[in-house]
Amino acid sequence: MNFFKRKTTWTNAEFIPLKLCIASIYVIVGAYFHEFFSRFYVPLFILFGICVIWAVGMWWKKMKE
C-alpha cells in the first residue's frame, strides 16, 4: 500500500486543524527569524502570488467539474 498514491476526499472543515497548525508554525518561524526573512520579502510575495493564482485555478477547475 503506497501512502502517496492513495486517493481521498477531504472537506474544507476537515482541513481546518491542519491549516491552523501550518499557519501557527509559519507565524512562530516568521517571528523568530524576522531579520532573516526581511531580506526575502519581494521573492516571498512573488511566490505567494504564484501559489494563490495556482490554488485558485485548481479550485476553479474543481468547481466546474
Short mmCIF file of all heavy atoms in Angstrom, two decimals:
data_model
loop_
_atom_site.label_atom_id
_atom_site.label_comp_id
_atom_site.label_asym_id
_atom_site.label_seq_id
_atom_site.Cartn_x
_atom_site.Cartn_y
_atom_site.Cartn_z
N MET A 1 0.85 -1.18 0.00
CA MET A 1 0.00 0.00 0.00
C MET A 1 0.89 1.24 0.00
O MET A 1 1.68 1.46 0.91
CB MET A 1 -0.90 -0.04 1.24
CG MET A 1 -1.74 1.17 1.40
SD MET A 1 -2.99 1.03 2.69
CE MET A 1 -2.03 0.90 4.16
N ASN A 2 0.79 2.04 -1.04
CA ASN A 2 1.59 3.25 -1.16
C ASN A 2 0.78 4.43 -0.63
O ASN A 2 -0.28 4.77 -1.15
CB ASN A 2 1.99 3.47 -2.61
CG ASN A 2 3.04 4.54 -2.74
OD1 ASN A 2 3.29 5.31 -1.82
ND2 ASN A 2 3.66 4.61 -3.89
N PHE A 3 1.30 5.07 0.40
CA PHE A 3 0.60 6.18 1.07
C PHE A 3 0.37 7.35 0.13
O PHE A 3 -0.67 8.00 0.17
CB PHE A 3 1.42 6.62 2.28
CG PHE A 3 0.84 7.80 3.00
CD1 PHE A 3 -0.27 7.64 3.80
CD2 PHE A 3 1.38 9.07 2.85
CE1 PHE A 3 -0.82 8.72 4.47
CE2 PHE A 3 0.85 10.15 3.51
CZ PHE A 3 -0.27 9.97 4.32
N PHE A 4 1.33 7.65 -0.76
CA PHE A 4 1.24 8.84 -1.61
C PHE A 4 0.33 8.64 -2.81
O PHE A 4 -0.04 9.60 -3.46
CB PHE A 4 2.64 9.27 -2.07
CG PHE A 4 3.49 9.72 -0.92
CD1 PHE A 4 4.55 8.95 -0.48
CD2 PHE A 4 3.22 10.90 -0.26
CE1 PHE A 4 5.34 9.36 0.58
CE2 PHE A 4 3.98 11.32 0.80
CZ PHE A 4 5.05 10.55 1.22
N LYS A 5 -0.05 7.42 -3.13
CA LYS A 5 -0.93 7.17 -4.28
C LYS A 5 -2.38 6.93 -3.85
O LYS A 5 -3.23 6.74 -4.69
CB LYS A 5 -0.42 5.98 -5.08
CG LYS A 5 0.87 6.26 -5.80
CD LYS A 5 1.28 5.12 -6.67
CE LYS A 5 2.58 5.45 -7.39
NZ LYS A 5 3.01 4.36 -8.24
N ARG A 6 -2.64 6.94 -2.58
CA ARG A 6 -3.98 6.71 -2.07
C ARG A 6 -4.85 7.95 -2.33
O ARG A 6 -4.45 9.07 -2.07
CB ARG A 6 -3.91 6.43 -0.58
CG ARG A 6 -5.27 6.24 0.05
CD ARG A 6 -5.11 6.01 1.50
NE ARG A 6 -5.17 4.57 1.72
CZ ARG A 6 -5.00 4.00 2.88
NH1 ARG A 6 -4.68 4.73 3.93
NH2 ARG A 6 -5.12 2.71 3.01
N LYS A 7 -6.05 7.73 -2.85
CA LYS A 7 -6.96 8.83 -3.15
C LYS A 7 -7.97 8.99 -2.02
O LYS A 7 -8.59 8.04 -1.61
CB LYS A 7 -7.68 8.58 -4.47
CG LYS A 7 -6.76 8.59 -5.65
CD LYS A 7 -7.51 9.02 -6.86
CE LYS A 7 -6.50 9.06 -7.99
NZ LYS A 7 -6.63 10.16 -8.82
N THR A 8 -8.10 10.21 -1.54
CA THR A 8 -9.08 10.52 -0.51
C THR A 8 -9.72 11.86 -0.84
O THR A 8 -9.17 12.65 -1.59
CB THR A 8 -8.43 10.62 0.89
OG1 THR A 8 -7.47 11.66 0.87
CG2 THR A 8 -7.79 9.32 1.30
N THR A 9 -10.88 12.10 -0.29
CA THR A 9 -11.52 13.41 -0.42
C THR A 9 -11.68 14.00 0.96
O THR A 9 -12.06 13.31 1.91
CB THR A 9 -12.90 13.29 -1.10
OG1 THR A 9 -13.70 12.39 -0.34
CG2 THR A 9 -12.77 12.77 -2.52
N TRP A 10 -11.37 15.27 1.08
CA TRP A 10 -11.44 15.98 2.35
C TRP A 10 -12.32 17.20 2.15
O TRP A 10 -12.26 17.87 1.13
CB TRP A 10 -10.05 16.46 2.77
CG TRP A 10 -9.11 15.39 3.15
CD1 TRP A 10 -8.70 14.34 2.39
CD2 TRP A 10 -8.43 15.27 4.38
NE1 TRP A 10 -7.81 13.57 3.07
CE2 TRP A 10 -7.63 14.12 4.31
CE3 TRP A 10 -8.42 16.01 5.55
CZ2 TRP A 10 -6.83 13.72 5.36
CZ3 TRP A 10 -7.63 15.61 6.59
CH2 TRP A 10 -6.85 14.46 6.49
N THR A 11 -13.12 17.51 3.14
CA THR A 11 -13.90 18.73 3.10
C THR A 11 -13.06 19.87 3.69
O THR A 11 -12.04 19.63 4.35
CB THR A 11 -15.19 18.58 3.93
OG1 THR A 11 -14.83 18.40 5.29
CG2 THR A 11 -16.03 17.42 3.43
N ASN A 12 -13.49 21.09 3.45
CA ASN A 12 -12.77 22.24 4.00
C ASN A 12 -12.77 22.22 5.52
O ASN A 12 -11.79 22.61 6.16
CB ASN A 12 -13.39 23.54 3.49
CG ASN A 12 -13.00 23.82 2.07
OD1 ASN A 12 -11.99 23.34 1.59
ND2 ASN A 12 -13.80 24.61 1.39
N ALA A 13 -13.86 21.76 6.12
CA ALA A 13 -13.93 21.70 7.57
C ALA A 13 -12.91 20.72 8.14
O ALA A 13 -12.39 20.92 9.24
CB ALA A 13 -15.34 21.31 8.01
N GLU A 14 -12.63 19.66 7.42
CA GLU A 14 -11.64 18.69 7.88
C GLU A 14 -10.22 19.23 7.78
O GLU A 14 -9.33 18.76 8.47
CB GLU A 14 -11.76 17.39 7.08
CG GLU A 14 -13.05 16.65 7.35
CD GLU A 14 -13.27 15.50 6.41
OE1 GLU A 14 -12.79 15.53 5.26
OE2 GLU A 14 -13.96 14.55 6.82
N PHE A 15 -10.00 20.19 6.91
CA PHE A 15 -8.67 20.78 6.74
C PHE A 15 -8.38 21.89 7.75
O PHE A 15 -7.24 22.34 7.85
CB PHE A 15 -8.50 21.36 5.33
CG PHE A 15 -7.97 20.37 4.35
CD1 PHE A 15 -8.68 20.07 3.20
CD2 PHE A 15 -6.75 19.75 4.54
CE1 PHE A 15 -8.19 19.17 2.29
CE2 PHE A 15 -6.25 18.85 3.64
CZ PHE A 15 -6.98 18.56 2.50
N ILE A 16 -9.37 22.37 8.47
CA ILE A 16 -9.17 23.49 9.39
C ILE A 16 -8.07 23.24 10.41
O ILE A 16 -7.17 24.08 10.57
CB ILE A 16 -10.50 23.90 10.05
CG1 ILE A 16 -11.40 24.56 9.02
CG2 ILE A 16 -10.27 24.83 11.23
CD1 ILE A 16 -12.80 24.84 9.52
N PRO A 17 -8.05 22.10 11.12
CA PRO A 17 -6.95 21.89 12.08
C PRO A 17 -5.58 21.85 11.42
O PRO A 17 -4.60 22.40 11.96
CB PRO A 17 -7.28 20.54 12.72
CG PRO A 17 -8.73 20.35 12.50
CD PRO A 17 -9.04 21.04 11.22
N LEU A 18 -5.47 21.23 10.25
CA LEU A 18 -4.19 21.19 9.55
C LEU A 18 -3.76 22.59 9.13
O LEU A 18 -2.60 22.97 9.31
CB LEU A 18 -4.30 20.29 8.32
CG LEU A 18 -3.05 20.21 7.45
CD1 LEU A 18 -1.91 19.56 8.22
CD2 LEU A 18 -3.34 19.46 6.17
N LYS A 19 -4.68 23.38 8.61
CA LYS A 19 -4.35 24.74 8.20
C LYS A 19 -3.95 25.60 9.39
O LYS A 19 -3.02 26.41 9.28
CB LYS A 19 -5.55 25.37 7.47
CG LYS A 19 -5.81 24.76 6.12
CD LYS A 19 -7.04 25.39 5.49
CE LYS A 19 -7.36 24.78 4.15
NZ LYS A 19 -8.54 25.40 3.53
N LEU A 20 -4.63 25.44 10.51
CA LEU A 20 -4.26 26.20 11.71
C LEU A 20 -2.88 25.81 12.22
O LEU A 20 -2.10 26.65 12.66
CB LEU A 20 -5.30 26.00 12.81
CG LEU A 20 -6.63 26.70 12.60
CD1 LEU A 20 -7.61 26.30 13.68
CD2 LEU A 20 -6.45 28.20 12.58
N CYS A 21 -2.57 24.54 12.16
CA CYS A 21 -1.26 24.05 12.59
C CYS A 21 -0.16 24.65 11.71
O CYS A 21 0.84 25.16 12.22
CB CYS A 21 -1.25 22.53 12.51
SG CYS A 21 0.34 21.79 12.86
N ILE A 22 -0.34 24.60 10.41
CA ILE A 22 0.65 25.12 9.48
C ILE A 22 0.79 26.64 9.64
O ILE A 22 1.90 27.17 9.68
CB ILE A 22 0.28 24.74 8.03
CG1 ILE A 22 0.42 23.23 7.85
CG2 ILE A 22 1.15 25.48 7.03
CD1 ILE A 22 -0.15 22.70 6.55
N ALA A 23 -0.33 27.34 9.77
CA ALA A 23 -0.29 28.79 9.92
C ALA A 23 0.41 29.19 11.22
O ALA A 23 1.19 30.16 11.24
CB ALA A 23 -1.69 29.37 9.88
N SER A 24 0.17 28.45 12.29
CA SER A 24 0.80 28.81 13.56
C SER A 24 2.31 28.63 13.51
O SER A 24 3.05 29.46 14.04
CB SER A 24 0.19 28.01 14.70
OG SER A 24 0.46 26.63 14.54
N ILE A 25 2.79 27.57 12.87
CA ILE A 25 4.24 27.39 12.78
C ILE A 25 4.86 28.45 11.87
O ILE A 25 5.97 28.91 12.10
CB ILE A 25 4.63 25.96 12.37
CG1 ILE A 25 6.11 25.69 12.66
CG2 ILE A 25 4.36 25.70 10.91
CD1 ILE A 25 6.48 25.73 14.10
N TYR A 26 4.13 28.89 10.83
CA TYR A 26 4.63 29.98 9.98
C TYR A 26 4.81 31.25 10.80
O TYR A 26 5.79 31.96 10.65
CB TYR A 26 3.67 30.26 8.82
CG TYR A 26 3.72 29.27 7.69
CD1 TYR A 26 2.68 29.18 6.78
CD2 TYR A 26 4.79 28.41 7.51
CE1 TYR A 26 2.70 28.29 5.74
CE2 TYR A 26 4.82 27.50 6.48
CZ TYR A 26 3.77 27.45 5.60
OH TYR A 26 3.80 26.56 4.56
N VAL A 27 3.83 31.55 11.64
CA VAL A 27 3.92 32.76 12.47
C VAL A 27 5.08 32.66 13.45
O VAL A 27 5.84 33.62 13.64
CB VAL A 27 2.59 33.00 13.20
CG1 VAL A 27 2.73 34.10 14.24
CG2 VAL A 27 1.50 33.34 12.20
N ILE A 28 5.25 31.49 14.06
CA ILE A 28 6.35 31.30 15.02
C ILE A 28 7.69 31.45 14.33
O ILE A 28 8.58 32.17 14.80
CB ILE A 28 6.22 29.94 15.71
CG1 ILE A 28 5.01 29.93 16.63
CG2 ILE A 28 7.49 29.59 16.48
CD1 ILE A 28 4.64 28.54 17.14
N VAL A 29 7.87 30.79 13.19
CA VAL A 29 9.15 30.87 12.46
C VAL A 29 9.38 32.29 11.97
O VAL A 29 10.49 32.82 12.06
CB VAL A 29 9.16 29.87 11.29
CG1 VAL A 29 10.34 30.11 10.37
CG2 VAL A 29 9.21 28.44 11.83
N GLY A 30 8.33 32.94 11.46
CA GLY A 30 8.46 34.32 10.99
C GLY A 30 8.83 35.28 12.10
O GLY A 30 9.61 36.22 11.90
N ALA A 31 8.29 35.07 13.28
CA ALA A 31 8.62 35.94 14.41
C ALA A 31 10.04 35.71 14.89
O ALA A 31 10.76 36.65 15.25
CB ALA A 31 7.63 35.71 15.55
N TYR A 32 10.47 34.47 14.89
CA TYR A 32 11.79 34.13 15.40
C TYR A 32 12.91 34.56 14.44
O TYR A 32 13.95 35.04 14.86
CB TYR A 32 11.87 32.62 15.64
CG TYR A 32 13.10 32.19 16.39
CD1 TYR A 32 13.20 32.38 17.76
CD2 TYR A 32 14.17 31.61 15.73
CE1 TYR A 32 14.33 31.99 18.46
CE2 TYR A 32 15.30 31.21 16.41
CZ TYR A 32 15.37 31.40 17.78
OH TYR A 32 16.49 31.01 18.45
N PHE A 33 12.67 34.39 13.13
CA PHE A 33 13.68 34.72 12.12
C PHE A 33 13.29 35.97 11.32
O PHE A 33 13.49 36.03 10.11
CB PHE A 33 13.88 33.54 11.16
CG PHE A 33 14.44 32.32 11.81
CD1 PHE A 33 13.64 31.22 12.04
CD2 PHE A 33 15.76 32.28 12.18
CE1 PHE A 33 14.16 30.08 12.63
CE2 PHE A 33 16.30 31.14 12.76
CZ PHE A 33 15.49 30.04 13.00
N HIS A 34 12.73 36.97 11.99
CA HIS A 34 12.23 38.16 11.30
C HIS A 34 13.31 38.85 10.48
O HIS A 34 13.09 39.21 9.32
CB HIS A 34 11.63 39.14 12.31
CG HIS A 34 11.25 40.44 11.69
ND1 HIS A 34 10.17 40.56 10.86
CD2 HIS A 34 11.82 41.67 11.76
CE1 HIS A 34 10.09 41.81 10.44
NE2 HIS A 34 11.06 42.51 10.98
N GLU A 35 14.47 39.04 11.03
CA GLU A 35 15.54 39.74 10.31
C GLU A 35 16.03 38.95 9.11
O GLU A 35 16.39 39.52 8.08
CB GLU A 35 16.69 40.04 11.26
CG GLU A 35 16.31 41.05 12.33
CD GLU A 35 17.41 41.23 13.36
OE1 GLU A 35 18.50 40.65 13.19
OE2 GLU A 35 17.16 41.95 14.34
N PHE A 36 16.05 37.63 9.23
CA PHE A 36 16.47 36.79 8.10
C PHE A 36 15.49 36.91 6.94
O PHE A 36 15.88 37.07 5.79
CB PHE A 36 16.59 35.33 8.54
CG PHE A 36 16.88 34.38 7.42
CD1 PHE A 36 18.16 34.28 6.90
CD2 PHE A 36 15.88 33.58 6.90
CE1 PHE A 36 18.43 33.40 5.87
CE2 PHE A 36 16.15 32.69 5.87
CZ PHE A 36 17.43 32.61 5.36
N PHE A 37 14.18 36.83 7.23
CA PHE A 37 13.17 36.86 6.18
C PHE A 37 12.94 38.24 5.61
O PHE A 37 12.39 38.37 4.51
CB PHE A 37 11.85 36.27 6.68
CG PHE A 37 11.89 34.77 6.80
CD1 PHE A 37 11.86 34.18 8.04
CD2 PHE A 37 11.98 33.97 5.69
CE1 PHE A 37 11.90 32.80 8.16
CE2 PHE A 37 12.03 32.61 5.79
CZ PHE A 37 11.99 32.01 7.03
N SER A 38 13.36 39.29 6.31
CA SER A 38 13.14 40.65 5.79
C SER A 38 13.90 40.88 4.50
O SER A 38 13.50 41.69 3.68
CB SER A 38 13.52 41.68 6.84
OG SER A 38 14.92 41.65 7.07
N ARG A 39 14.98 40.15 4.28
CA ARG A 39 15.73 40.26 3.03
C ARG A 39 15.01 39.61 1.86
O ARG A 39 15.32 39.87 0.71
CB ARG A 39 17.11 39.61 3.18
CG ARG A 39 18.00 40.34 4.18
CD ARG A 39 19.34 39.66 4.26
NE ARG A 39 19.17 38.44 5.07
CZ ARG A 39 20.07 37.48 5.18
NH1 ARG A 39 21.20 37.57 4.53
NH2 ARG A 39 19.85 36.43 5.93
N PHE A 40 14.05 38.75 2.13
CA PHE A 40 13.39 37.97 1.08
C PHE A 40 11.92 38.33 0.91
O PHE A 40 11.14 37.51 0.40
CB PHE A 40 13.51 36.48 1.40
CG PHE A 40 14.92 36.00 1.51
CD1 PHE A 40 15.46 35.68 2.75
CD2 PHE A 40 15.73 35.91 0.40
CE1 PHE A 40 16.76 35.25 2.87
CE2 PHE A 40 17.03 35.48 0.51
CZ PHE A 40 17.55 35.15 1.74
N TYR A 41 11.50 39.52 1.31
CA TYR A 41 10.09 39.90 1.21
C TYR A 41 9.59 39.87 -0.24
O TYR A 41 8.54 39.31 -0.52
CB TYR A 41 9.84 41.28 1.80
CG TYR A 41 9.69 41.30 3.30
CD1 TYR A 41 10.06 42.41 4.03
CD2 TYR A 41 9.18 40.22 3.98
CE1 TYR A 41 9.93 42.44 5.40
CE2 TYR A 41 9.05 40.24 5.35
CZ TYR A 41 9.42 41.35 6.06
OH TYR A 41 9.29 41.36 7.42
N VAL A 42 10.34 40.44 -1.16
CA VAL A 42 9.88 40.50 -2.55
C VAL A 42 9.77 39.11 -3.16
O VAL A 42 8.72 38.76 -3.72
CB VAL A 42 10.79 41.44 -3.39
CG1 VAL A 42 10.41 41.37 -4.86
CG2 VAL A 42 10.68 42.86 -2.87
N PRO A 43 10.81 38.25 -3.07
CA PRO A 43 10.64 36.89 -3.62
C PRO A 43 9.53 36.09 -2.93
O PRO A 43 8.82 35.32 -3.59
CB PRO A 43 12.00 36.22 -3.38
CG PRO A 43 12.96 37.33 -3.22
CD PRO A 43 12.18 38.46 -2.64
N LEU A 44 9.35 36.30 -1.63
CA LEU A 44 8.28 35.58 -0.93
C LEU A 44 6.91 36.06 -1.38
O LEU A 44 5.99 35.25 -1.53
CB LEU A 44 8.43 35.75 0.59
CG LEU A 44 9.57 34.97 1.22
CD1 LEU A 44 9.73 35.35 2.69
CD2 LEU A 44 9.36 33.48 1.08
N PHE A 45 6.75 37.36 -1.62
CA PHE A 45 5.48 37.86 -2.13
C PHE A 45 5.22 37.36 -3.55
O PHE A 45 4.09 37.05 -3.91
CB PHE A 45 5.42 39.39 -2.09
CG PHE A 45 5.01 39.93 -0.75
CD1 PHE A 45 5.88 40.73 -0.03
CD2 PHE A 45 3.77 39.64 -0.22
CE1 PHE A 45 5.52 41.24 1.21
CE2 PHE A 45 3.39 40.14 1.02
CZ PHE A 45 4.27 40.93 1.73
N ILE A 46 6.25 37.26 -4.36
CA ILE A 46 6.10 36.71 -5.72
C ILE A 46 5.68 35.24 -5.64
O ILE A 46 4.76 34.81 -6.35
CB ILE A 46 7.40 36.89 -6.53
CG1 ILE A 46 7.63 38.37 -6.82
CG2 ILE A 46 7.36 36.08 -7.82
CD1 ILE A 46 8.98 38.69 -7.41
N LEU A 47 6.35 34.48 -4.77
CA LEU A 47 5.99 33.07 -4.59
C LEU A 47 4.56 32.94 -4.08
O LEU A 47 3.79 32.10 -4.55
CB LEU A 47 6.96 32.41 -3.61
CG LEU A 47 6.69 30.95 -3.27
CD1 LEU A 47 6.83 30.09 -4.52
CD2 LEU A 47 7.65 30.49 -2.19
N PHE A 48 4.18 33.81 -3.14
CA PHE A 48 2.81 33.80 -2.62
C PHE A 48 1.80 34.09 -3.74
O PHE A 48 0.79 33.41 -3.85
CB PHE A 48 2.67 34.84 -1.51
CG PHE A 48 1.26 35.05 -1.06
CD1 PHE A 48 0.63 34.11 -0.27
CD2 PHE A 48 0.57 36.19 -1.43
CE1 PHE A 48 -0.68 34.31 0.15
CE2 PHE A 48 -0.73 36.40 -1.01
CZ PHE A 48 -1.35 35.44 -0.23
N GLY A 49 2.10 35.07 -4.56
CA GLY A 49 1.19 35.40 -5.66
C GLY A 49 1.02 34.26 -6.64
O GLY A 49 -0.09 33.95 -7.07
N ILE A 50 2.12 33.60 -6.98
CA ILE A 50 2.06 32.45 -7.89
C ILE A 50 1.24 31.33 -7.28
O ILE A 50 0.39 30.72 -7.94
CB ILE A 50 3.49 31.98 -8.25
CG1 ILE A 50 4.18 33.02 -9.12
CG2 ILE A 50 3.44 30.63 -8.95
CD1 ILE A 50 5.66 32.77 -9.32
N CYS A 51 1.47 31.06 -6.00
CA CYS A 51 0.73 29.98 -5.32
C CYS A 51 -0.75 30.30 -5.20
O CYS A 51 -1.59 29.40 -5.34
CB CYS A 51 1.33 29.72 -3.94
SG CYS A 51 2.95 28.96 -4.01
N VAL A 52 -1.09 31.56 -4.96
CA VAL A 52 -2.50 31.94 -4.87
C VAL A 52 -3.18 31.74 -6.22
O VAL A 52 -4.27 31.17 -6.30
CB VAL A 52 -2.65 33.39 -4.38
CG1 VAL A 52 -4.04 33.93 -4.64
CG2 VAL A 52 -2.31 33.49 -2.92
N ILE A 53 -2.54 32.19 -7.28
CA ILE A 53 -3.12 32.02 -8.62
C ILE A 53 -3.27 30.54 -8.95
O ILE A 53 -4.30 30.11 -9.48
CB ILE A 53 -2.25 32.75 -9.67
CG1 ILE A 53 -2.35 34.26 -9.45
CG2 ILE A 53 -2.68 32.38 -11.08
CD1 ILE A 53 -1.35 35.07 -10.24
N TRP A 54 -2.27 29.75 -8.63
CA TRP A 54 -2.31 28.31 -8.88
C TRP A 54 -3.44 27.65 -8.09
O TRP A 54 -4.21 26.86 -8.63
CB TRP A 54 -0.96 27.72 -8.52
CG TRP A 54 -0.76 26.28 -8.85
CD1 TRP A 54 -1.55 25.46 -9.60
CD2 TRP A 54 0.34 25.47 -8.44
NE1 TRP A 54 -1.02 24.21 -9.67
CE2 TRP A 54 0.15 24.19 -8.97
CE3 TRP A 54 1.48 25.72 -7.68
CZ2 TRP A 54 1.05 23.17 -8.75
CZ3 TRP A 54 2.36 24.69 -7.48
CH2 TRP A 54 2.16 23.43 -8.01
N ALA A 55 -3.55 27.96 -6.80
CA ALA A 55 -4.57 27.35 -5.94
C ALA A 55 -5.97 27.76 -6.39
O ALA A 55 -6.88 26.92 -6.43
CB ALA A 55 -4.34 27.74 -4.49
N VAL A 56 -6.17 29.03 -6.73
CA VAL A 56 -7.48 29.48 -7.19
C VAL A 56 -7.82 28.81 -8.52
O VAL A 56 -8.97 28.43 -8.76
CB VAL A 56 -7.54 31.02 -7.29
CG1 VAL A 56 -8.78 31.49 -8.01
CG2 VAL A 56 -7.46 31.63 -5.90
N GLY A 57 -6.83 28.65 -9.38
CA GLY A 57 -7.06 27.96 -10.65
C GLY A 57 -7.47 26.51 -10.45
O GLY A 57 -8.39 26.02 -11.12
N MET A 58 -6.80 25.82 -9.53
CA MET A 58 -7.18 24.43 -9.25
C MET A 58 -8.58 24.37 -8.65
O MET A 58 -9.38 23.48 -8.99
CB MET A 58 -6.17 23.79 -8.30
CG MET A 58 -4.83 23.52 -8.94
SD MET A 58 -3.69 22.51 -7.97
CE MET A 58 -3.85 23.13 -6.34
N TRP A 59 -8.89 25.30 -7.74
CA TRP A 59 -10.21 25.34 -7.13
C TRP A 59 -11.28 25.62 -8.18
O TRP A 59 -12.33 24.99 -8.18
CB TRP A 59 -10.23 26.40 -6.03
CG TRP A 59 -11.58 26.61 -5.43
CD1 TRP A 59 -12.20 25.79 -4.55
CD2 TRP A 59 -12.45 27.70 -5.69
NE1 TRP A 59 -13.43 26.33 -4.23
CE2 TRP A 59 -13.61 27.49 -4.92
CE3 TRP A 59 -12.37 28.83 -6.49
CZ2 TRP A 59 -14.66 28.37 -4.93
CZ3 TRP A 59 -13.43 29.71 -6.50
CH2 TRP A 59 -14.56 29.47 -5.73
N TRP A 60 -11.01 26.57 -9.06
CA TRP A 60 -11.97 26.92 -10.11
C TRP A 60 -12.23 25.72 -11.01
O TRP A 60 -13.37 25.45 -11.38
CB TRP A 60 -11.42 28.10 -10.89
CG TRP A 60 -12.39 28.65 -11.90
CD1 TRP A 60 -12.43 28.35 -13.22
CD2 TRP A 60 -13.46 29.54 -11.65
NE1 TRP A 60 -13.45 29.03 -13.81
CE2 TRP A 60 -14.11 29.77 -12.87
CE3 TRP A 60 -13.93 30.18 -10.51
CZ2 TRP A 60 -15.19 30.59 -12.99
CZ3 TRP A 60 -15.00 31.02 -10.64
CH2 TRP A 60 -15.64 31.22 -11.86
N LYS A 61 -11.16 25.00 -11.37
CA LYS A 61 -11.30 23.82 -12.22
C LYS A 61 -12.13 22.75 -11.52
O LYS A 61 -12.99 22.12 -12.14
CB LYS A 61 -9.90 23.27 -12.55
CG LYS A 61 -9.92 22.08 -13.46
CD LYS A 61 -8.50 21.62 -13.74
CE LYS A 61 -8.49 20.33 -14.53
NZ LYS A 61 -7.13 19.82 -14.71
N LYS A 62 -11.90 22.54 -10.23
CA LYS A 62 -12.66 21.54 -9.49
C LYS A 62 -14.12 21.95 -9.36
O LYS A 62 -15.00 21.10 -9.40
CB LYS A 62 -12.05 21.34 -8.11
CG LYS A 62 -12.68 20.22 -7.33
CD LYS A 62 -11.87 19.90 -6.11
CE LYS A 62 -12.55 18.84 -5.29
NZ LYS A 62 -12.12 17.53 -5.59
N MET A 63 -14.41 23.24 -9.20
CA MET A 63 -15.79 23.70 -9.08
C MET A 63 -16.55 23.54 -10.38
O MET A 63 -17.76 23.33 -10.37
CB MET A 63 -15.82 25.16 -8.63
CG MET A 63 -15.34 25.39 -7.22
SD MET A 63 -16.28 24.48 -6.00
CE MET A 63 -17.82 25.38 -6.04
N LYS A 64 -15.87 23.62 -11.52
CA LYS A 64 -16.53 23.45 -12.81
C LYS A 64 -16.91 22.00 -13.07
O LYS A 64 -17.84 21.74 -13.81
CB LYS A 64 -15.63 23.95 -13.93
CG LYS A 64 -15.59 25.44 -14.06
CD LYS A 64 -14.80 25.83 -15.29
CE LYS A 64 -14.90 27.30 -15.54
NZ LYS A 64 -14.21 27.69 -16.78
N GLU A 65 -16.19 21.06 -12.48
CA GLU A 65 -16.45 19.64 -12.73
C GLU A 65 -17.70 19.14 -12.06
O GLU A 65 -18.21 19.57 -11.13
CB GLU A 65 -15.27 18.79 -12.26
CG GLU A 65 -14.05 19.01 -13.09
CD GLU A 65 -12.86 18.21 -12.56
OE1 GLU A 65 -12.98 17.55 -11.51
OE2 GLU A 65 -11.81 18.28 -13.19
#
